[in-house]
Every structure is written in C-alpha cells, then in structure tokens.
Amino acid sequence: MSFTSLQWGEIFGGFGLFMYGITTMGDGLKSAAGDRLKEYIDKYCSSPFRGLIMGLLLTILMQSSSASIAITIGLVRAGLMTFTQAAGIVMGANIGTTVTSFLISLDIEKYAMWIMFAGTALICFTKRRKLKNYGNIILGFGLIFFGMNAMGTALSGVKDMPEFQNFALAMSNNHWLSMLVGTALTGVVQSSAATIGIVQKLYQAGALSLEASLPFMFGANIGTCVTGLLASIGGSLSGRRTAALHLSMNIVASVLGMLVLAPYTSFIAAIGADMNPMMQIAVANIIFKTVTTLCFMPFINKLCSFICRIVPGNEPARIEVDVNSLDPDLINTFPAAAISAAGQAIGKMSLAVEEDLKLTRKFLNERGGEEEKDVLAQDEQQINTYDQKITSYLLKTQMYATNLSIRDTERLRNSLEVIKNLERVGDLSEDLTEFFMMTFDADESFSDTAMTDINDMFDAAEEMLVLSRSIFESRNPEEYEALLEKERFMDQMEYAARQSHFTRMGKNQCTAVAGSIYCDILGTLERIGDHITNIGKSCLTEDQDDISPDEDVLHLDQ
C-alpha cells in the first residue's frame, strides 16, 4: 500500500465532520447555556479555585480549551475580568479539554447514525429554540463519532505502509521531535482534541506505539495555546499576560511529561491493560492534565507575579461598577442612602459608557476586526447588566421604602431616566460598530473629509458625556445651558456633514456601501448627543422627551 492508495477523501472528510461536530456541539451548548454565560464567569471567579471549576465547566460547554481561553482573554481585554481571575480559568480549561478525548474513546460509533438522526429531528421538526439547541448538541455529538469512524477506517491501512513505518520509527527514536510535530499540527488545526483524536486512531490501528503516541499528546498541549496568543494580539496588557500564562504553564507541563515519559508510559500500560487503545490515550491525557494543573495551583500567585515580570507594564485603571454590592437593607432602613449608593454606581456606569464610546471610535480609526468587535459587544453586554441591576435596585427602593421625601422621590426618578439614556448611548455605539464593520467587510473606507466630520462628532459626544456626568452630580443650571449649546452645535455639525456628503455623492466621489450608510452614522451620532442631553435635562426639569428641544425645529429646517 502507498500514500496514493489511501482513501484521502474519507480521511479528510471524516476529519472535517469530526471538527464540525465539535463546533456544532459547542455552539449548541453555549446557546443552551444562554446569554448570561459571561456574567456567571465574572460572578463565580472570585478565587483561583472557583476560576478553575468555571474554566473546567466552560471548556466542557465549548468543547475547546482554545475557545475558552480566547473568551477569557476577550473578557480581560474588555476590563471585565482581572488577570488573577483569568489564571484560574486557564487551569480549569486545561482539565476540561480532556473530556473530548474521553468521549471519542467510548465504543459507541455504531450508534452514531441514530444519534445524528435524533439531533436532526429536533432541529427540523421542532419550533422551540431551546429544543433546537439541544438538537445541535446531539447532532454534533453524533458527528464526532461518525467522523472519527470514517477517518479511523481509512487510517487503518497506514500501519502497513513502509513510509509511515519509517516515520513511526523516527518518532519512536526521537520523542522530542514527536512533541514538536504534535505542537505544529495542533497549532494549524487549533484544536488539541483533533490532534489527540488522530493519535488515538493511529494507536488503535497499531500504527504508533504508546511511547510514541504520548509525546504527540504533550505537543498538543503546547499547540493549543496558539488561539490564545492570537486572541491577545493588540489587546490589553492583562490579555497578553493571560496568553503568556497559558503558554508558560503548558510548556512546563509538557517538558515535565517528556522527562518522565518512560515511567509514565509503563504506568499507563499497567493501569490500562484492560482498556481499549483509545481509552488508554484518553486516560493518559486526563491524568497528565489534572496532575500538572493541580501541581500549579498552590503557586498561582507566584506564577502570576512571574508573568508580570516577563510581560512588564502598568495596566490602566479598571472601571469598577460593583452593582452586586448595592445594599438591599438600606432600602427600608435608609432609602436616601440607597438612592445615593445607586447614584455612585450610575456615575461609574457613565464612565463605562464613555470608555465604550472611545473604543467604538478607535474601532473606526484603526479598522478593527472581529476580535475588537467581540470586545465591544462584551462592553455593551456589561452596560446592559449595569442598567438592569441598578434599575432593579431603584425600583425596589421605590416600591418598598415607606418614608421617601419629595426630594428623594425626584432623585430616584432622575436616576432611572439617566440610566435609560446611558443604556441607549451604549446601544447606539453598538449600532455604529455594525455600520463600521459593514464598510470594512466591503473593503471600503470613508473619505478624509468624512472621517474628519465623524471624529469631530465623536469629540463633541465625549465632551457632552463628561459634562452630563457633572450635571448629574452637581445639578448646575449653567452647566446644563453649556450642554444645550454643545448639543445645538452637534446638530449643526450633523447637518453640515450631511450636506457635504450629498455634494460628494453628486460628484460620484463615494463608494457604494460607505456612501449609503454614512448618513446613518451621522444620524446615530446625533442621537447619541440627544440622549446625553436628556441626562442633563432629566436632572433639572420635570418632563423629558426622547429628543432635545431644538431637534424638531432643526429637522423641519432640513
């Protein structure tokens, strides 16, 4: 048998179905978990051990430690998680990724078609979203086994090929080379589960010995760090440190595994004598990842300190909005203090919205990609969380407090209106990101004049947001008049930029996508200005509309 006689279609097709199965099952599990997944991560990662448990569960849900690490780095980049919190998740992810190799070692391949049928039936014949998510989980589970079976059948003849026999002999004689090959293969496919799955099939077919198989597994442990490294590029200092921690831990663990390869091989052969070959590799992977991770746990703080030295720098101050610490006991005992505590949280929420607006502007000017867009989406989700929790706290205060003064009642109403408008600014910033992404996807750009106009409006919006925060704290009428003046100027900028755009369109100077959504961008920025103005207005007047006083007049003029 030669390489050309192998059924390459079945090998690559089976591998593709295997990878697609992992992705489908992971997507289904994430969807079934709901939109609060990131909130749970932030809430239950107060200690390294809790982070380890969360990382383990997250990786089981995602069916990929690479994806778990990438999400964790995204949360760190967005400022929603500290480096120390992320360290526990990294450790848990290393253990959680062993579940896939255990699943594919189960001897249920003959039921793969029935499993796929069950999953497909739920997807096609049910209307409820939750049942469809369960269908994706079941379908992905079946595809994993179906793909592995197809790939394994085609690979069974590899052991008889002289070329592969020479390769296997070289790997047996040079275990460090085997580890490097495992690292490279995992780096390419960005899935340690895929590499270990191939090794399991080759070992089951007798193409590789156990001692030659384990270095591939150790190498996969290093190669899986590639996704995290890519996710950290251009991100925050803590994000880069998280990726460096993941890489450092896995390199040290893999090197230690190589140093004890011979006794570890004998140990696995002894305890796995009655196991099928694929299960032996799965057990070896579980023991290796669990033991090395638990050995690192007592030294987590020292590891973090070491990483901070090799990746030096000072992280910008994180905007903390600890809405979970709003004391419910104050509602009945001292409602005025409860309203003041909520006011402090709203001030910090305003800072978070301001930072989100700045990152949206940076996304435009630096032509951000999907990773930067994900960070902005996480920011927006966090702003929504602040909105829900502070609003809920204030509504409970309004409902249960029996001795609210007229002044406190007015402050509570003002606070609810401010929260609503801040949340809308966050929503509109997300809309801007979508507009910018549409332009980038079309490989288009805005003219220099258009970019100047957009950035000028961003300048005005950021200045207005700072001023509105001061008005919320001071209730100063003079500052409100200054805010109204800035808002009128922003309306004029929007009108002038729109007219200039129409002139450029008349001269055929605009591209298709960028030209068509430019007015939408201007209008969205102008609406951001309106909602910021509403913040000041709610603090100094009794009634509030959804637009500023001058907007109707200006739009009639247009």
Side-chain angles (χ1 to χ4, degrees):
M1 179 178 284
S2 63
F3 273 108
T4 55
S5 62
L6 283 175
Q7 297 178 343
W8 288 105
E10 287 193 24
I11 293 173
F12 285 109
F15 181 72
L17 287 172
F18 170 71
M19 292 292 293
Y20 183 68
I22 290 176
T23 302
T24 301
M25 185 166 71
D27 289 344
L29 285 164
K30 282 188 293 181
S31 298
D35 296 332
R36 301 184 69 183
L37 184 60
K38 293 184 180 70
E39 182 182 343
Y40 293 146
I41 293 172
D42 196 35
K43 183 176 180 180
Y44 296 110
C45 293
S46 56
S47 68
F49 180 75
R50 284 189 172 189
L52 185 148
I53 299 300
M54 180 55 69
L56 190 153
L57 295 175
L58 178 62
T59 304
I60 292 174
L61 284 176
M62 302 283 294
Q63 285 297 295
S64 169
S65 63
S66 298
S68 300
I69 300 300
I71 283 183
T72 302
I73 289 173
L75 291 169
V76 173
R77 287 179 63 171
L80 307 181
M81 182 183 293
T82 64
F83 172 47
T84 306
Q85 283 179 307
I89 293 185
V90 168
M91 291 184 169
N94 276 343
I95 300 177
T97 192
T98 63
V99 172
T100 305
S101 62
F102 174 76
L103 288 176
I104 61 181
S105 68
L106 299 175
D107 189 20
I108 57 175
E109 292 176 346
K110 58 185 175 182
Y111 303 113
M113 297 290 284
W114 289 104
I115 296 171
M116 290 162 57
F117 170 75
T120 303
L122 283 174
I123 294 170
C124 295
F125 303 124
T126 60
K127 294 182 178 180
R128 293 179 59 188
R129 183 180 297 275
K130 182 178 291 187
L131 291 177
K132 289 182 181 292
N133 290 334
Y134 291 150
N136 280 322
I137 296 170
I138 296 170
L139 174 61
F141 188 66
L143 284 170
I144 289 173
F145 288 99
F146 185 78
M148 286 297 293
N149 185 50
M151 185 169 57
T153 302
L155 285 172
S156 61
V158 169
K159 64 179 184 297
D160 300 321
M161 295 170 47
E163 297 91 344
F164 190 83
Q165 289 173 353
N166 293 332
F167 172 78
L169 181 62
M171 295 299 102
S172 299
N173 293 333
N174 193 333
H175 297 137
W176 292 96
L177 180 60
S178 300
M179 187 184 77
L180 291 176
V181 172
T183 300
L185 179 59
T186 306
V188 170
V189 300
Q190 295 194 22
S191 171
S192 60
T195 300
I196 294 172
I198 293 172
V199 172
Q200 285 176 296
K201 279 298 181 182
L202 290 173
Y203 177 51
Q204 184 183 47
L208 287 175
S209 66
L210 181 60
E211 191 170 5
S213 300
L214 294 183
F216 280 99
M217 184 186 77
F218 297 146
N221 193 42
I222 300 174
T224 193
C225 300
V226 169
T227 305
L229 291 171
L230 292 175
S232 70
I233 294 174
S236 67
L237 179 62
S238 290
R240 296 196 300 274
R241 284 173 173 169
T242 303
L245 175 69
H246 186 215
L247 178 63
S248 301
M249 285 175 49
N250 286 12
I251 288 176
V252 171
S254 297
V255 170
L256 289 174
M258 291 296 293
L259 294 177
V260 297
L261 177 61
Y264 189 58
T265 303
S266 301
F267 170 71
I268 295 299
I271 66 171
D274 297 328
M275 301 177 186
N276 69 63
M278 292 182 66
M279 182 62 78
Q280 286 184 357
I281 299 294
V283 170
N285 192 33
I286 291 171
I287 294 174
F288 166 68
K289 294 284 185 66
T290 304
V291 171
T292 53
T293 298
L294 293 179
C295 287
F296 280 123
M297 273 299 293
F299 309 103
I300 183 67
N301 291 329
K302 292 184 178 179
L303 278 171
C304 290
S305 298
F306 170 73
I307 295 298
C308 288
R309 285 198 296 270
I310 64 174
V311 186
N314 295 315
E315 191 71 21
R318 183 186 177 200
I319 299 172
E320 295 279 359
V321 187
D322 191 7
V323 291
N324 293 317
S325 67
L326 291 173
D327 189 354
D329 293 335
L330 286 176
I331 293 175
N332 289 317
T333 59
F334 197 2
I339 295 171
S340 295
Q344 292 176 2
I346 292 170
K348 291 181 179 179
M349 178 182 175
S350 174
L351 289 171
V353 171
E354 182 184 346
E355 182 64 22
D356 184 51
L357 196 61
K358 290 178 179 178
L359 288 176
T360 303
R361 179 183 192 171
K362 182 179 179 182
F363 183 85
L364 166 66
N365 291 321
E366 298 184 5
R367 295 186 70 88
E370 287 294 337
E371 291 178 8
E372 289 77 16
K373 183 182 175 184
D374 288 344
V375 171
L376 286 166
Q378 290 162 8
D379 280 351
E380 163 59 16
Q381 187 178 52
Q382 197 68 15
I383 291 169
N384 290 340
T385 300
Y386 300 153
D387 166 33
Q388 293 164 8
K389 291 190 174 181
I390 302 174
T391 297
S392 175
Y393 184 76
L394 287 170
L395 289 176
K396 287 178 181 178
T397 303
Q398 186 179 44
M399 184 179 300
Y400 297 115
T402 57
N403 56 343
L404 276 180
S405 66
I406 295 176
R407 180 174 178 273
D408 288 338
T409 302
E410 186 65 19
R411 285 174 60 206
L412 191 149
R413 182 189 68 81
N414 293 158
S415 296
L416 289 171
E417 291 176 354
V418 170
I419 294 169
K420 179 188 72 174
N421 283 288
L422 285 173
E423 193 274 335
R424 284 297 297 139
V425 172
D427 288 343
L428 292 169
S429 295
E430 188 174 31
D431 291 344
L432 287 173
T433 304
E434 292 293 340
F435 288 139
F436 299 154
M437 199 68 191
M438 288 170 60
T439 306
F440 302 157
D441 287 343
D443 198 24
E444 295 182 4
S445 59
F446 299 103
S447 67
D448 292 341
T449 302
M451 286 292 291
T452 299
D453 291 339
I454 293 174
N455 277 294
D456 286 346
M457 292 190 73
F458 266 114
D459 283 336
E462 290 170 14
E463 291 172 4
M464 290 172 67
L465 193 54
V466 172
L467 191 55
S468 71
R469 187 162 56 247
S470 178
I471 295 170
F472 176 68
E473 295 170 353
S474 67
R475 302 297 202 270
N476 187 330
E478 293 181 0
E479 288 185 327
Y480 177 56
E481 289 301 322
L483 180 64
L484 287 177
E485 183 61 33
K486 287 182 179 293
E487 200 272 341
R488 285 190 286 268
F489 179 63
M490 192 172 187
D491 287 343
Q492 293 168 4
M493 282 196 294
E494 188 259 353
Y495 179 76
R498 191 186 294 265
Q499 297 305 311
S500 178
H501 171 64
F502 292 149
T503 300
R504 291 194 298 274
M505 289 185 69
K507 296 179 180 179
N508 201 27
Q509 295 176 348
C510 299
T511 55
V513 176
S516 65
I517 65 174
Y518 180 68
C519 287
D520 294 323
I521 292 170
L522 296 177
T524 302
L525 283 165
E526 194 270 337
R527 288 173 63 198
I528 286 175
D530 291 339
H531 283 287
I532 295 173
T533 303
N534 284 343
I535 293 172
K537 182 180 179 182
S538 68
C539 297
L540 293 169
T541 61
E542 292 184 359
D543 299 318
Q544 180 186 346
D545 301 319
D546 286 337
I547 57 176
S548 55
D550 61 306
E551 188 176 14
D552 281 334
V553 177
L554 183 63
H555 287 180
L556 286 172
D557 290 341
Q558 293 177 17

